[in-house]
Amino acid sequence: MKKTLLFIGVIILFISIVKMCNSYAEIDERQEFLKNTPVDIPSKTDNVVEVQETDSMKISNAIETLNSLSSYSGNLTIEGMNSNLDALNSTIKTYKLYNASKKSEIVRLTNKLKIKIIKTQVKLFPKYRKAYANEIKNKLWENNIKVSIQNKTLTLTGGTFASNKNKKDAFDVMHPIIKRYRFKRINFKWYEYDDEYTYWTIDSQSDNEI
């Protein structure tokens, strides 16, 4: 009975972490693309289409957003990191929106934006994974669950994970979060020296992948 209550408490805690980590709303990609896709109206006098200033400004603003994300040196909380990842995703959408453009100025800016996105991701994601692990480590400590991280692998160790069902339930709850932080693997052990522990690989993007 105590084990059951303990596990229920752990799952509730996992769910609360999920809600906190996924407070952002999912945007319909197709509608967003159609809404923001600029419509080029060819000139009646020639074939030259001027670059719309608003398009250039959108890309330049995305680059400035990335500069701000890269230069931030304050404390990293889950709420703050999720807000930053939302901002990062917004710059990626801007890049994908204009990437197919043939306009010389837009091509120049999108190439610059692409390079900046990759550099920012490579810098941020390792820090964010470490900060995320530390955050849930503090939250799960009360439930006698230890949390550790090695590169892109997250390990949770606790007596509740002696049960395969508990491992699976915990994985199902945590999967969307750890995928967003681009972890590649999660281990569940019921004690530190468990040689037959269970793990799942995560189909997440690499840090330099847009």
Side-chain angles (χ1 to χ4, degrees), residues 135-178:
E135 186 84 0
I136 65 170
K137 178 180 180 180
N138 294 332
K139 295 181 182 298
L140 296 178
W141 174 82
E142 294 181 356
N143 296 89
N144 297 314
I145 295 176
K146 295 181 179 180
V147 178
S148 62
I149 181 175
Q150 184 176 13
N151 297 323
K152 298 180 181 180
T153 298
L154 185 68
T155 300
L156 277 66
T157 305
T160 187
F161 299 127
S163 164
N164 289 331
K165 182 181 185 304
N166 292 356
K167 296 174 184 177
K168 181 62 167 58
D169 289 344
F171 171 75
D172 289 342
V173 171
M174 296 190 69
H175 178 258
I177 314 169
I178 57 180

Side-chain angles (χ1 to χ4, degrees), residues 63-145:
I63 293 173
E64 287 303 313
T65 296
L66 293 169
N67 287 335
S68 297
L69 293 177
S70 296
S71 61
Y72 179 75
S73 59
N75 294 329
L76 294 174
T77 64
I78 288 180
E79 293 88 344
M81 289 188 294
N82 279 329
S83 177
N84 290 348
L85 289 178
D86 288 342
L88 173 61
N89 288 338
S90 178
T91 67
I92 293 174
K93 289 175 183 176
T94 298
Y95 165 73
K96 291 181 177 180
L97 179 64
Y98 292 103
N99 185 42
S101 175
K102 302 300 182 182
K103 302 173 184 177
S104 59
E105 177 64 9
I106 297 299
V107 170
R108 183 186 71 82
L109 287 172
T110 52
N111 286 338
K112 183 178 180 180
L113 177 58
K114 178 181 179 180
I115 294 172
K116 188 64 180 177
I117 289 172
I118 293 173
K119 287 183 177 180
T120 301
Q121 290 183 167
V122 170
K123 179 179 180 180
L124 292 187
F125 276 112
K127 291 198 305 183
Y128 282 16
R129 283 190 292 269
K130 183 177 180 180
Y132 169 76
N134 287 334
E135 186 84 0
I136 65 170
K137 178 180 180 180
N138 294 332
K139 295 181 182 298
L140 296 178
W141 174 82
E142 294 181 356
N143 296 89
N144 297 314
I145 295 176

Side-chain angles (χ1 to χ4, degrees), residues 173-189:
V173 171
M174 296 190 69
H175 178 258
I177 314 169
I178 57 180
K179 183 174 182 178
R180 189 180 199 210
Y181 283 83
R182 303 196 178 187
F183 283 95
K184 289 295 185 180
R185 173 168 161 162
I186 184 169
N187 303 328
F188 291 98
K189 297 182 177 183

